[in-house]
Amino acid sequence: LTSIYWVGFSFIVAGSGYLWATPLIILIVPAYFAIYIALTFLLYFTLKSKSTLQPIVFAAIWVFFELIRGHAVIPFDLTGFAWGLIGYSWSFSNYIMQIISVIGIYGLSFLTILAAGLPYLTLRNNKNYLAISCSISIIMGLVIFGYLRIPTESSLSDITVKLIHPNITKHHGFKETNLIKNLEKHEDLS
């Protein structure tokens, strides 16, 4: 619910007759996404894996259904809605998010579920602390990779950024007759 609340805002437009749809959309969309999580657990428990590969199998199934959800929101509609993927839960950490440049958001989702699932092996095999060590190593490896990838402040000192705002109102700016005029205004400002 919390990651897609904004979808309801599109139905709250001044003068629109769709205000009644807002609560439905805010409840139906997460319910639809929950189907993919349910399918993840259904497939996982159908496989009945009892090996030490359980966390890897579960992470792979999770990412498989995230991929399907991200590329086919509505059956036979391949537009996708890759919103609220588990990998995005690291958005607070610039360091951890750097791995996306190499393995993508689905790869980070896989590592996230794997790191979260590995401690289960310790619970199942009371004295197997290797799994917790691997989980911590995954997270630390992500942090170290991000730390090494993000440039230091001194290497960014020669960058110049120019922000352009042409002050074109939404009411007039998106008319087809104004496209060339608006483009020229952007060119003049830059």
Side-chain angles (χ1 to χ4, degrees):
L1 274 175
T2 59
S3 69
I4 59 163
Y5 67 92
W6 55 269
V7 174
F9 292 160
S10 62
F11 293 92
I12 307 173
V13 178
S16 87
Y18 298 104
L19 184 61
W20 60 270
T22 303
L24 293 174
I25 293 300
I26 290 174
L27 294 174
I28 290 173
V29 173
Y32 178 73
F33 289 159
I35 292 170
Y36 291 99
I37 295 172
L39 290 172
T40 299
F41 282 95
L42 179 68
L43 181 58
Y44 176 72
F45 287 120
T46 301
L47 294 176
K48 297 180 182 173
S49 172
K50 297 293 181 194
S51 72
T52 55
L53 297 177
Q54 277 181 304
I56 295 171
V57 170
F58 183 75
I61 293 170
W62 183 283
V63 171
F64 171 74
F65 281 107
E66 274 194 348
L67 267 164
I68 291 173
R69 183 180 66 126
H71 295 282
V73 174
I74 301 169
F76 310 110
D77 173 25
L78 300 178
T79 58
F81 192 74
W83 197 267
L85 303 177
I86 203 74
Y88 290 133
S89 62
W90 294 107
S91 293
F92 67 90
S93 171
N94 288 336
Y95 294 126
I96 292 179
M97 294 296 282
Q98 295 305 306
I99 196 68
I100 292 174
S101 67
V102 178
I103 61 174
I105 190 62
Y106 295 107
L108 181 56
S109 288
F110 178 82
L111 292 177
T112 301
I113 294 295
L114 182 62
L118 282 170
Y120 168 75
L121 294 177
T122 301
L123 293 174
R124 199 182 79 195
N125 305 333
N126 292 330
K127 296 180 181 168
N128 182 1
Y129 294 104
L130 178 64
I132 289 180
S133 300
C134 288
S135 180
I136 293 169
S137 296
I138 289 171
I139 295 168
M140 291 306 300
L142 293 173
V143 171
I144 291 168
F145 175 82
Y147 180 79
L148 295 174
R149 186 170 185 276
I150 294 177
T152 61
E153 191 175 319
S154 62
S155 66
L156 297 176
S157 61
D158 60 341
I159 294 176
T160 302
V161 177
K162 188 177 198 181
L163 297 177
I164 301 171
H165 189 284
N167 199 21
I168 299 172
T169 62
K170 185 169 54 171
H171 179 69
H172 294 102
F174 298 114
K175 290 184 180 175
E176 197 170 326
T177 56
N178 294 338
L179 288 177
I180 300 298
K181 186 174 85 174
N182 291 340
L183 180 61
E184 288 171 349
K185 189 171 186 176
H186 278 89
E187 287 176 347
D188 291 340
L189 290 170
S190 59

PDB file of all heavy atoms in Angstrom, residues 41-49:
ATOM      1  N   PHE A  41       5.412 -18.189  -2.963  1.00  0.00           N
ATOM      2  CA  PHE A  41       5.383 -19.158  -1.872  1.00  0.00           C
ATOM      3  C   PHE A  41       4.761 -20.477  -2.307  1.00  0.00           C
ATOM      4  O   PHE A  41       5.223 -21.541  -1.895  1.00  0.00           O
ATOM      5  CB  PHE A  41       4.642 -18.576  -0.664  1.00  0.00           C
ATOM      6  CG  PHE A  41       5.480 -17.611   0.110  1.00  0.00           C
ATOM      7  CD1 PHE A  41       5.405 -16.257  -0.127  1.00  0.00           C
ATOM      8  CD2 PHE A  41       6.359 -18.070   1.077  1.00  0.00           C
ATOM      9  CE1 PHE A  41       6.194 -15.363   0.582  1.00  0.00           C
ATOM     10  CE2 PHE A  41       7.157 -17.189   1.791  1.00  0.00           C
ATOM     11  CZ  PHE A  41       7.069 -15.834   1.541  1.00  0.00           C
ATOM     12  N   LEU A  42       3.763 -20.422  -3.153  1.00  0.00           N
ATOM     13  CA  LEU A  42       3.133 -21.646  -3.645  1.00  0.00           C
ATOM     14  C   LEU A  42       4.136 -22.506  -4.409  1.00  0.00           C
ATOM     15  O   LEU A  42       4.268 -23.701  -4.152  1.00  0.00           O
ATOM     16  CB  LEU A  42       1.932 -21.300  -4.542  1.00  0.00           C
ATOM     17  CG  LEU A  42       1.199 -22.483  -5.137  1.00  0.00           C
ATOM     18  CD1 LEU A  42       0.484 -23.266  -4.032  1.00  0.00           C
ATOM     19  CD2 LEU A  42       0.189 -22.012  -6.169  1.00  0.00           C
ATOM     20  N   LEU A  43       4.878 -21.892  -5.319  1.00  0.00           N
ATOM     21  CA  LEU A  43       5.877 -22.636  -6.081  1.00  0.00           C
ATOM     22  C   LEU A  43       6.990 -23.144  -5.174  1.00  0.00           C
ATOM     23  O   LEU A  43       7.430 -24.294  -5.302  1.00  0.00           O
ATOM     24  CB  LEU A  43       6.451 -21.762  -7.200  1.00  0.00           C
ATOM     25  CG  LEU A  43       7.488 -22.422  -8.104  1.00  0.00           C
ATOM     26  CD1 LEU A  43       6.920 -23.671  -8.772  1.00  0.00           C
ATOM     27  CD2 LEU A  43       7.974 -21.432  -9.144  1.00  0.00           C
ATOM     28  N   TYR A  44       7.435 -22.313  -4.246  1.00  0.00           N
ATOM     29  CA  TYR A  44       8.511 -22.720  -3.347  1.00  0.00           C
ATOM     30  C   TYR A  44       8.102 -23.932  -2.511  1.00  0.00           C
ATOM     31  O   TYR A  44       8.849 -24.903  -2.392  1.00  0.00           O
ATOM     32  CB  TYR A  44       8.911 -21.554  -2.433  1.00  0.00           C
ATOM     33  CG  TYR A  44       9.948 -21.931  -1.413  1.00  0.00           C
ATOM     34  CD1 TYR A  44      11.262 -22.165  -1.785  1.00  0.00           C
ATOM     35  CD2 TYR A  44       9.601 -22.082  -0.068  1.00  0.00           C
ATOM     36  CE1 TYR A  44      12.219 -22.523  -0.852  1.00  0.00           C
ATOM     37  CE2 TYR A  44      10.546 -22.441   0.866  1.00  0.00           C
ATOM     38  CZ  TYR A  44      11.852 -22.663   0.477  1.00  0.00           C
ATOM     39  OH  TYR A  44      12.795 -23.032   1.405  1.00  0.00           O
ATOM     40  N   PHE A  45       6.911 -23.893  -1.924  1.00  0.00           N
ATOM     41  CA  PHE A  45       6.474 -25.013  -1.084  1.00  0.00           C
ATOM     42  C   PHE A  45       6.098 -26.237  -1.908  1.00  0.00           C
ATOM     43  O   PHE A  45       6.130 -27.353  -1.408  1.00  0.00           O
ATOM     44  CB  PHE A  45       5.330 -24.586  -0.163  1.00  0.00           C
ATOM     45  CG  PHE A  45       5.794 -23.691   0.952  1.00  0.00           C
ATOM     46  CD1 PHE A  45       5.286 -22.413   1.083  1.00  0.00           C
ATOM     47  CD2 PHE A  45       6.753 -24.110   1.859  1.00  0.00           C
ATOM     48  CE1 PHE A  45       5.717 -21.577   2.107  1.00  0.00           C
ATOM     49  CE2 PHE A  45       7.198 -23.285   2.876  1.00  0.00           C
ATOM     50  CZ  PHE A  45       6.681 -22.016   3.004  1.00  0.00           C
ATOM     51  N   THR A  46       5.772 -26.046  -3.176  1.00  0.00           N
ATOM     52  CA  THR A  46       5.515 -27.179  -4.058  1.00  0.00           C
ATOM     53  C   THR A  46       6.811 -27.938  -4.336  1.00  0.00           C
ATOM     54  O   THR A  46       6.811 -29.159  -4.429  1.00  0.00           O
ATOM     55  CB  THR A  46       4.894 -26.693  -5.392  1.00  0.00           C
ATOM     56  OG1 THR A  46       3.685 -26.001  -5.091  1.00  0.00           O
ATOM     57  CG2 THR A  46       4.586 -27.846  -6.311  1.00  0.00           C
ATOM     58  N   LEU A  47       7.914 -27.205  -4.465  1.00  0.00           N
ATOM     59  CA  LEU A  47       9.212 -27.845  -4.734  1.00  0.00           C
ATOM     60  C   LEU A  47       9.739 -28.623  -3.534  1.00  0.00           C
ATOM     61  O   LEU A  47      10.495 -29.569  -3.685  1.00  0.00           O
ATOM     62  CB  LEU A  47      10.233 -26.796  -5.162  1.00  0.00           C
ATOM     63  CG  LEU A  47       9.958 -26.105  -6.484  1.00  0.00           C
ATOM     64  CD1 LEU A  47      10.994 -25.017  -6.744  1.00  0.00           C
ATOM     65  CD2 LEU A  47       9.947 -27.100  -7.623  1.00  0.00           C
ATOM     66  N   LYS A  48       9.377 -28.221  -2.319  1.00  0.00           N
ATOM     67  CA  LYS A  48       9.770 -28.897  -1.074  1.00  0.00           C
ATOM     68  C   LYS A  48      11.271 -29.164  -0.990  1.00  0.00           C
ATOM     69  O   LYS A  48      11.721 -30.254  -0.684  1.00  0.00           O
ATOM     70  CB  LYS A  48       8.998 -30.201  -0.898  1.00  0.00           C
ATOM     71  CG  LYS A  48       7.512 -30.007  -0.757  1.00  0.00           C
ATOM     72  CD  LYS A  48       6.793 -31.316  -0.596  1.00  0.00           C
ATOM     73  CE  LYS A  48       5.299 -31.050  -0.503  1.00  0.00           C
ATOM     74  NZ  LYS A  48       4.512 -32.241  -0.500  1.00  0.00           N
ATOM     75  N   SER A  49      12.046 -28.149  -1.272  1.00  0.00           N
ATOM     76  CA  SER A  49      13.502 -28.270  -1.204  1.00  0.00           C
ATOM     77  C   SER A  49      13.944 -28.302   0.253  1.00  0.00           C
ATOM     78  O   SER A  49      13.593 -27.436   1.027  1.00  0.00           O
ATOM     79  CB  SER A  49      14.153 -27.087  -1.924  1.00  0.00           C
ATOM     80  OG  SER A  49      15.527 -27.103  -1.720  1.00  0.00           O
TER      81      SER A  49
END
